[in-house]
Amino acid sequence: ATWIFCGDASRRRRGARTFGRDGARLRYSTLFFLERVVAPFKSGLFHRNAPHVLQSQIRGGGGPLAFQEASANFTHEVHTLGFAGRPGGAGAFYINTIDNRRNHGGDRKGEADAILGRLVASAVRVAKRMRKQPGGTKPNGFVGKAEHHIKILGLELLAGDARRAALDGA
């Protein structure tokens, strides 16, 4: 299956900090994901199917986010992707499977987990199928047995016609 996400480069929102890459303007957390997770990716898997998130574990990249980027305009809605942990980093990200603003939208200090993008096109259908992943333990949904992990075989940045086709749901 192909996973597709978009950051603020394709969904401009007011008030977001943006950084340049190849002529595009991206949120810091999206740029971090491309440079620290996608580019050095070695392997990954989804090992948690909790009531509110599908969480991955990634090998290859490294380092924590420099800051927990949060924006009232880019929140933890269904099918957004966030960095797991405080501070989040290249080792894990999650897919919000519910409106998750209450759980991840701000802690007691008012800090929200960083959002790096949103699933689009066929990736939404794949995420819904992933909710059937067996082996999750209650209450947190960690999947202990390796045979029940959902493997991530690769991550790549699509460009040009391939990107347009993916965004159109082809």
Side-chain angles (χ1 to χ4, degrees), residues 102-114:
R102 184 170 160 246
N103 291 328
H104 291 276
D107 62 13
R108 290 184 198 116
K109 297 177 188 171
E111 294 179 355
D113 291 345

Side-chain angles (χ1 to χ4, degrees), residues 13 41 55 83 98 157 167:
R13 302 244 184 164
F41 177 81
Q55 186 172 324
F83 283 105
I98 63 170
L157 179 61
L167 289 171

Side-chain angles (χ1 to χ4, degrees), residues 1 7 23 33-34 42 49-50 84 87 101-102 106-107 132-133 164:
F33 182 77
L34 293 173
K42 291 188 185 336
N49 186 352
R101 289 177 275 193
R102 184 170 160 246
D107 62 13
K132 297 177 182 161
Q133 177 184 24
R164 279 188 288 284

Side-chain angles (χ1 to χ4, degrees), residues 19-132:
F19 298 83
R21 178 189 162 114
D22 301 329
R25 300 295 291 169
L26 302 171
R27 291 168 44 84
Y28 164 72
S29 56
T30 303
L31 181 65
F32 181 93
F33 182 77
L34 293 173
E35 293 184 348
R36 295 288 195 89
V37 179
V38 174
F41 177 81
K42 291 188 185 336
S43 66
L45 54 89
F46 281 89
H47 69 102
R48 185 177 183 202
N49 186 352
H52 63 299
V53 295
L54 292 164
Q55 186 172 324
S56 72
Q57 185 174 13
I58 301 296
R59 281 193 48 235
L65 291 162
F67 56 93
Q68 290 291 114
E69 179 181 42
S71 167
N73 296 321
F74 206 54
T75 62
H76 290 264
E77 298 166 18
V78 176
H79 301 131
T80 54
L81 287 77
F83 283 105
R86 293 280 169 86
F93 68 89
Y94 58 84
I95 300 166
N96 286 302
T97 57
I98 63 170
D99 182 329
N100 214 358
R101 289 177 275 193
R102 184 170 160 246
N103 291 328
H104 291 276
D107 62 13
R108 290 184 198 116
K109 297 177 188 171
E111 294 179 355
D113 291 345
I115 289 287
L116 62 107
R118 172 183 312 281
L119 295 180
V120 295
S122 62
V124 171
R125 291 187 297 277
V126 172
K128 288 178 180 177
R129 284 197 329 258
M130 288 174 65
R131 296 294 289 154
K132 297 177 182 161

